[in-house]
Amino acid sequence: MRILFIGDIVGRPGRDVILAELPRLRDSLKPDFIVANGENAAGGFGLTRVLADELFATGIDCITTGNHWADQKEILGFIDHEDRILRPRNYPAGVPGKGAGLYETRGGQRVLVMNLMGRVFMDALDDPFAAAEAELSACPLGEGADAVIVDMHAEATSEKMAMGQFCDGRASAVIGTHSHIPTADAQVLPGGTAYQTDAGACADYDSVIGMEKYEPIQRFLKKMHGSRFQPANGPATLCGAFVVTDPRGLATRIDPIRVGGRLKQALPEL
Ligand SMILES: [Fe+2]
Ligand SMILES: [Fe+2]
């Protein structure tokens, strides 16, 4: 199976680069399933119904999120009726939405997607490792699902890497989001799980992690809040990873993707 994983889509520049580049990527990579993190799609903060539909219309099959999942309150009114949007699985019981979904590709393959959130330098949630264990044992790779994709939304590289190793051999891919910077450690772990600590964001990189740079710099300089963060408005780079799996659902390769905007470009050689 061919899986395309896309990192945090930040504001209009992030959405624009998806609209501009995803059709070409779909033509060249022919993914069976596309996961994208949409937690910053609405002006950098959260996701709306209209924007989710705009992203689904580009061919994205599942939208994961993270700590910003409920920044736009309207999501609380539709997430329980929208199977294709996930919020982190390890929120307390009773929170709207769900953290894992089993989907079917057009070719009839079953894909389990799990959205987890780290706890290091982030809000104290339930244990993401216990959440991963529960989902992996309820729907084992090769039995309940033909592919298992984990979006590990976390700040600390150590926590993300630990999750990759924890799931090695039991997930097709564990890919990090949230730090908005692509890491250079794409690899297939020994047990066959494709791993990258952070996919990077779909954002303008003449910025501070996708935000217009003046206000973040001021906050570091003065330790005071001035204006609200706004997404930087220049051309964005679409960042993600492309994963190919074998009939067992284990990865045979992972390639980082960076197209458009200012970052050094990267595309898989097929
Ligand atoms: Fe984000
Ligand atoms: Fe985040």
Side-chain angles (χ1 to χ4, degrees), residues 8 10 37 39-40 67-68 153 177-180:
D8 307 42
V10 182
N37 188 299
E39 71 152 6
N40 308 109
N67 53 308
H68 291 295
H153 195 82
T177 56
H178 177 72
S179 69
H180 291 198

